[in-house]
Amino acid sequence: MPVNIHDIRKLAGAGKLAEALQAAKQCALSGLGDMDTPVTLLNAEFEYLRRCYINGVLSEQEEMAGRQRIAARLLSLVEPMENAGIPAGGTAPERITILFLGANPFRSLALELDREVQEVSEGLKRFGKRDAFDFRAKIHVAAADLQRMLLEAAEYKPRFVHFAGNAVEKHPEYGSGVIFEDEHGAARVIGGDVLAAIFRQFPSVECVFLNTCDSGPSALAIGKQVRYAIGMNARVYDESAIVFAVAFYEAIAGGNDVPFAFEFARTRLLTEHYPEQASIPVLITDGKSNGPVYVDGDSHLTEIQPRIMR
């Protein structure tokens, strides 16, 4: 049954914020594309709020205040569309689904994951193709969240999975793999082989993009199960990681394939004052790398305050 913007107001007014956000996402996908990015970010913020409350980080009063802030921002998105008389959404056209995951359990790392969500979503608009993409984001993810998102999106056959955050290789404390968060927000390292086993169950996934330091070996393992995987063979700056990701999805939105988008994004690094970073991204195609997947060196997590690396 189609959802319209009036349903969102009713659900929010009844205190059913999760249902209101879900209805807003459905409206965005059925034609109200301008709502998609802010609703995606509100959903991510709401999930994090609930996790903090469940784990005892927030009191009941703090959790309620957070809900009220999110509800107010959601209604501020709905109001101008409601006043303009925008009708209910119809059947959503077929879209390319991108799952964006973010995790950063380290307080000393000031990674701009929310900005990466925003700028990647904006990059999909550059060719007037934002409505062609179903962009779903979740920040502070656990490995189980990855499985659940893939399962929930299975009917939409997700083609791209993007991870922003941290990875390690041969780290003295964390070992090797991609760093998710556990139920308490602490670091939980998941090896590339385990991630590959997860993606093996979802054949619609065409490309897994690990936009983190030292993720090349994990990408190589994943690349044995998916057509394309992208990782980083060394430490990468937060800013250049975002520049690379935005350029990659701009090229995808322009109707290009993954190898073209990868080279397009590497060239963007050369033109955006990050030429020394252009050799760090690695593309894995059918399990084979176009360059070294790991360059020996100190991990960004060995520094006292590594605030600009990921």
Side-chain angles (χ1 to χ4, degrees), residues 9-21:
R9 180 175 290 281
K10 290 177 182 178
L11 289 166
K16 299 179 179 179
L17 185 54
E19 291 89 339
L21 288 166

Side-chain angles (χ1 to χ4, degrees), residues 91-110:
T91 301
E94 185 175 351
R95 288 174 166 85
I96 296 172
T97 300
I98 300 172
L99 302 183
F100 184 107
L101 314 174
N104 181 27
F106 305 107
R107 293 183 179 180
S108 63
L109 283 166

Side-chain angles (χ1 to χ4, degrees), residues 65-219:
R67 280 176 171 265
Q68 291 173 346
R69 286 193 298 270
I70 294 171
R73 285 156 57 194
L74 177 61
L75 292 176
S76 72
L77 293 174
V78 169
E79 185 174 0
M81 297 180 182
E82 192 172 38
N83 291 340
I86 295 176
T91 301
E94 185 175 351
R95 288 174 166 85
I96 296 172
T97 300
I98 300 172
L99 302 183
F100 184 107
L101 314 174
N104 181 27
F106 305 107
R107 293 183 179 180
S108 63
L109 283 166
L111 303 185
E112 297 187 282
L113 302 184
D114 287 348
R115 184 163 74 88
E116 188 166 346
V117 173
Q118 180 78 34
E119 294 198 15
V120 167
S121 183
E122 291 296 320
L124 295 173
K125 290 182 179 179
R126 301 249 154 74
F127 293 88
K129 298 286 185 67
R130 182 61 183 84
D131 290 345
F133 293 89
D134 176 359
F135 186 66
R136 302 178 179 227
K138 184 177 178 66
I139 309 298
H140 306 289
V141 295
D145 292 325
L146 166 60
Q147 289 183 295
R148 293 188 188 105
M149 288 183 74
L150 287 166
L151 197 60
E152 290 167 358
E155 63 179 299
Y156 306 109
K157 300 188 184 317
R159 283 180 54 191
F160 294 87
V161 176
H162 183 101
F163 182 87
N166 305 277
V168 285
E169 182 63 20
K170 303 175 184 177
H171 191 279
E173 180 178 356
Y174 297 108
S176 300
V178 177
I179 301 180
F180 290 79
E181 299 182 22
D182 67 13
E183 63 273 16
H184 302 294
R188 176 71 183 276
V189 180
I190 306 297
D193 290 342
V194 175
L195 293 172
I198 292 174
F199 288 114
R200 184 170 61 237
Q201 295 184 289
F202 298 91
S204 71
V205 177
E206 176 186 356
C207 178
V208 176
F209 185 163
L210 303 179
N211 200 21
T212 80
C213 291
D214 300 332
S215 57
S218 295

